Amino acid sequence: MRRPAIEATGIGSAEASDMTLVRRALARDPDACRAIIKIHNQRLYRIARGVVRNDAEAEDIVQEAYMRAFASLGAFRGEASLSTWLSRIVINEALGRLRKRKRIAAVSENPEARIIPFPLNPSDDPERTMAQRQILGLVERATDSLPDVYRSVFVARVVEGLSIEETADLLGVRPETVKTRLHRARALVRKALDDEIGPVLLDAFPFAGRRCERLTQAVMKRLGFED
C-alpha cells in the first residue's frame, strides 16, 4: 500500500519523522494517528500473517498491537525506528498467539491445521491477471508450509524486505542465525515451487485498498476517533 497522501494527512515530508508523528499522536492528533497506522499497516500485517498463517487472526493481531503501541507511545524514545518498535510488538503478540494455539492443540485431538487461501481483491489490483493470482497463491502456500522458525525469517527478509540486522533485531537472534535460517527457508520454498512454476517474483501477502482502510478505521475507532 502507498503512504497516506500529504494532502490528506497534513503531514509534510519535512515533519514526518518518527518522533514528530509520535508527539502529534500523543497530543491526540487524529491525522498523525491515522498516518502511523497507514504507513505501517502492510509491514505489520505481513509479519503477523507470516507467523500465524491466518488472514483474520493476523488482522486481529495487528489491531491489538496498535492498541498496545498507542497505549505505551510515551515510552517510545526513538532508539530504534518506529517501524521496528511496532514490528516487535506485533511479532510478540503473534508469537504469543502461536504458543497459545500450540498449547490448545497439545491437549486436543490435534486436527490438521487448515491454511486459508489469501484473497486478492480485484478492485484493489485490477492489473493482475488470473495467472499471476495463481502464482501468488502457490508462493503463499509454499511460505505457509515452512516450519515456524524459517517462516518468520523468510517473511521478514524476502516478503517484507528487512535487512539481516533488522530481522535479527526483530526476532531476537544473531545475524548468523538469520542467514542460516534464510538459506534453509529459500531452499524449502524453491523446492516447493520449482517443479511447477520455476523462478517467481515474490510479491505475496498484499494489504491495500479496502482491507488496509478497514483496519485503519477499526483502530481509529478504538482510539476514540470517529470519522
Side-chain angles (χ1 to χ4, degrees):
M1 57 164 281
R2 296 178 179 176
R3 292 174 180 265
I6 293 175
E7 293 80 2
T9 63
I11 299 170
S13 58
E15 62 175 344
S17 66
D18 287 348
M19 292 307 300
T20 299
L21 282 176
V22 167
R23 284 193 294 269
R24 293 179 63 178
L26 286 171
R28 301 289 293 174
D29 181 339
D31 286 340
C33 293
R34 185 175 292 105
I36 289 173
I37 297 166
K38 286 199 168 187
I39 287 169
H40 298 99
N41 261 351
Q42 178 162 287
R43 168 172 289 185
L44 301 183
Y45 175 80
R46 284 172 162 175
I47 290 172
R49 192 187 183 282
V51 174
V52 299
R53 297 184 291 181
N54 182 293
D55 304 342
E57 189 173 10
E59 287 195 40
D60 185 54
I61 286 169
V62 175
Q63 278 200 46
E64 291 303 317
Y66 275 131
M67 298 310 298
R68 292 189 181 189
F70 281 112
S72 59
L73 202 56
F76 178 74
R77 295 291 180 264
E79 289 89 352
S81 69
L82 184 58
S83 176
T84 298
W85 188 73
L86 291 170
S87 295
R88 287 172 181 162
I89 296 174
V90 166
I91 202 163
N92 285 335
E93 176 73 16
L95 290 173
R97 299 284 187 98
L98 197 61
R99 286 191 292 269
K100 181 179 179 180
R101 183 194 298 173
K102 288 180 177 179
R103 286 196 299 269
I104 293 173
V107 297
S108 69
E109 297 179 356
N110 193 25
E112 183 179 356
R114 182 169 66 94
I115 299 175
I116 301 176
F118 193 93
L120 290 177
N121 193 319
S123 64
D124 289 339
D125 304 280
E127 74 281 5
R128 292 188 177 183
T129 64
M130 182 60 68
Q132 288 174 316
R133 292 165 189 261
Q134 291 172 344
I135 289 173
L136 292 180
L138 289 172
V139 174
E140 290 173 354
R141 288 193 294 275
T143 303
D144 283 349
S145 71
L146 290 171
D148 295 342
V149 294
Y150 300 132
R151 191 174 64 254
S152 58
V153 168
F154 186 81
V155 170
R157 283 285 290 127
V158 178
V159 178
E160 187 49 43
L162 299 183
S163 69
I164 289 175
E165 291 72 19
E166 288 172 328
T167 303
D169 188 40
L170 178 65
L171 300 177
V173 298
R174 296 182 303 163
E176 294 77 12
T177 302
V178 171
K179 293 177 183 178
T180 300
R181 292 180 181 177
L182 178 62
H183 178 77
R184 179 57 176 161
R186 281 175 166 160
L188 291 171
V189 171
R190 191 178 301 115
K191 184 176 184 299
L193 295 173
D194 278 350
D195 291 342
E196 298 185 66
I197 60 176
V200 296
L201 175 64
L202 295 178
D203 186 25
F205 309 131
F207 194 74
R210 287 200 295 264
R211 291 172 65 83
C212 175
E213 187 59 34
R214 183 177 68 244
L215 192 146
T216 299
Q217 290 176 357
V219 174
M220 292 293 288
K221 185 176 181 179
R222 291 180 66 179
L223 288 171
F225 297 113
E226 298 292 343
D227 292 337

